[in-house]
Amino acid sequence: MEQFLTDKKLLNQVDELLKNGEAAFAMKDGSLMIPYIMNDAVESLIVLHECTLTGDLMKSAPAGTTAQTAEDGQRRGLILHYPDGHVCTAWFSIAARATEGYDYSRIGHVWRGGLEHWRRVTNALGVIADKGYYLGGLACNQKEADLMPLVTFGPLMDISPVNDSMQDYYKEAPEGAQAMADLAREAGCTFFAKEAEKYAKKPGSLRRKFLSWRMPKQEKILELLEKKIADAGSEYPVRTYEEPIQKDVDEQRQAVADKLLKKGFSGTYPNFSKGDVEVTAYEEQPFAMLPDDTLSFRIFLFEKDNSKGKCRRSVLDIELL
């Protein structure tokens, strides 16, 4: 889906990227592509169609780069002034924002060991929130809108997929604690719901520490979050790629399925089971609209073992299957 950009909107969005140190540029099929937001849930690019360049374009704009727009007869221009004094102008016919949402419910990263299932959930909540922040509420479905307040519940977002707490990005708010209280009550975790509700009304460091200690133990809440994220994400298409990337992706998926079936599991990709053990294949997916050589397709197997009357969660090593 493409949305036409006026010069004012184009400049505002490029200035936003420059200000945040996130402005990157790439030529593809005669168009200049400027990533606006690229994550597991959405890819949104500023596209300058039928683009020609005067001057040297840097792939990443250094700090201090400024931008302005111009016109030259039938052409429009985006002028980049670099801090070393040189200038690059991108002349183009049409400026647009191309956006595509994807099913993120099948995505999982293992950037940190331990609590991987929880970290996958908090990452999913984060990419939903980012999509809403950068693209506006209309970019999110109602199920996502219902989940978004949870990113402001500190004890949940402390279970971060990266080394820093996600509270560095999503500031805590009473709405988040109330959203968690409602979710906990829906999951049947009455005690945790009451404590979260108290925290919403009267925040305090001791109660926060208590909730942070209890949060990873709330298996029913985790299961409900997994279901809600799956329901929200499945309303979008699965990423597909141009060949030969798609062929490699399909082959990796089939190889994992073959290994699990050979080990006595039943099911179809990405969900398998054997007795009380459930295995779900989650993926790290490279971008589809603007491929990045630094990103690769990977599969991780998230295991849930319900034997012996207790749920145990882990990540299996595919190579050891």
Side-chain angles (χ1 to χ4, degrees):
M1 179 181 70
E2 286 201 347
Q3 177 186 20
F4 175 77
L5 295 177
T6 63
D7 283 356
K8 183 178 180 180
K9 287 185 177 180
L10 169 63
L11 189 57
N12 285 342
Q13 292 179 12
V14 172
D15 280 343
E16 179 185 1
L17 294 171
L18 290 171
K19 180 182 178 181
N20 294 331
E22 298 171 347
F25 305 86
M27 290 294 297
K28 180 183 178 183
D29 300 329
S31 296
L32 180 62
M33 319 290 277
I34 308 171
Y36 183 67
I37 173 174
M38 307 284 280
N39 68 21
D40 292 337
V42 66
E43 297 178 27
S44 187
L45 301 161
I46 299 169
V47 183
L48 305 186
H49 290 281
E50 298 177 338
C51 182
T52 58
L53 301 174
T54 58
D56 295 326
L57 178 70
M58 301 182 71
K59 290 183 178 180
S60 297
T65 301
T66 60
Q68 68 181 97
T69 55
E71 280 193 35
D72 177 18
Q74 297 294 319
R75 300 185 301 172
R76 299 160 64 192
L78 175 68
I79 306 173
L80 299 171
H81 297 268
Y82 296 109
D84 65 1
H86 91 270
V87 175
C88 177
T89 302
W91 296 106
F92 59 92
S93 60
I94 297 172
R97 243 235 328 267
T99 301
E100 185 64 63
Y102 298 98
D103 182 358
Y104 46 86
S105 66
R106 296 175 56 171
I107 293 180
H109 307 282
V110 184
W111 293 319
R112 296 178 65 186
L115 299 178
E116 293 93 347
H117 294 71
W118 277 104
R119 299 191 201 283
R120 190 191 72 81
V121 162
T122 57
N123 179 71
L125 293 173
V127 298
I128 292 170
D130 284 349
K131 179 170 67 166
Y133 172 77
Y134 281 97
L135 301 180
L138 293 178
C140 299
N141 60 41
Q142 186 57 51
K143 294 173 183 176
E144 291 171 325
D146 293 342
L147 289 168
M148 280 176 63
L150 291 169
V151 299
T152 64
F153 182 60
L156 173 63
M157 302 311 286
D158 279 343
I159 309 175
S160 170
V162 294
N163 290 328
D164 300 324
S165 169
M166 292 180 76
Q167 281 295 282
D168 294 340
Y169 309 99
Y170 312 108
K171 301 304 179 185
E172 200 159 24
E175 294 79 9
Q178 185 57 56
M180 176 52 70
D182 295 340
L183 183 76
R185 193 166 282 109
E186 184 181 348
C189 301
T190 306
F191 175 76
F192 196 85
K194 290 179 178 178
E195 291 300 310
E197 209 154 46
K198 291 177 185 176
Y199 185 60
K201 296 175 181 177
K202 191 176 180 180
S205 59
L206 288 179
R207 183 164 281 126
R208 190 191 195 289
K209 288 180 181 178
F210 176 73
L211 288 167
S212 293
W213 174 67
R214 295 279 303 194
M215 189 79 255
K217 307 175 190 300
Q218 307 306 306
E219 177 66 26
K220 291 182 180 179
I221 294 178
L222 175 56
E223 289 182 351
L224 182 57
L225 271 175
E226 289 176 328
K227 181 180 184 304
K228 286 181 177 289
I229 288 169
D231 289 344
S234 63
E235 293 192 5
Y236 301 96
V238 175
R239 271 185 178 87
T240 56
Y241 302 93
E242 297 177 356
E243 299 296 351
I245 298 175
Q246 187 61 48
K247 181 181 178 182
D248 178 61
V249 166
D250 292 338
E251 288 176 350
Q252 288 192 52
R253 288 171 176 163
Q254 188 60 53
V256 167
D258 290 345
K259 281 187 176 184
L260 287 169
L261 294 174
K262 194 172 182 179
K263 289 287 184 179
F265 284 84
S266 60
T268 57
Y269 191 92
N271 301 306
F272 302 88
S273 64
K274 182 169 68 172
D276 293 321
V277 178
E278 299 174 14
V279 171
T280 302
Y282 290 107
E283 303 169 350
E284 282 188 349
Q285 298 176 353
F287 299 132
M289 293 175 66
L290 187 62
D292 184 339
D293 291 340
T294 65
L295 303 176
S296 60
F297 180 83
R298 299 177 66 189
I299 298 174
F300 299 99
L301 298 180
F302 283 59
E303 180 188 54
K304 183 167 70 170
D305 187 344
N306 292 307
S307 61
K308 301 180 181 179
K310 184 178 180 181
C311 179
R312 293 172 293 174
R313 292 174 178 263
S314 60
V315 174
L316 300 177
D317 188 337
I318 293 175
E319 300 302 322
L320 298 180
L321 285 178

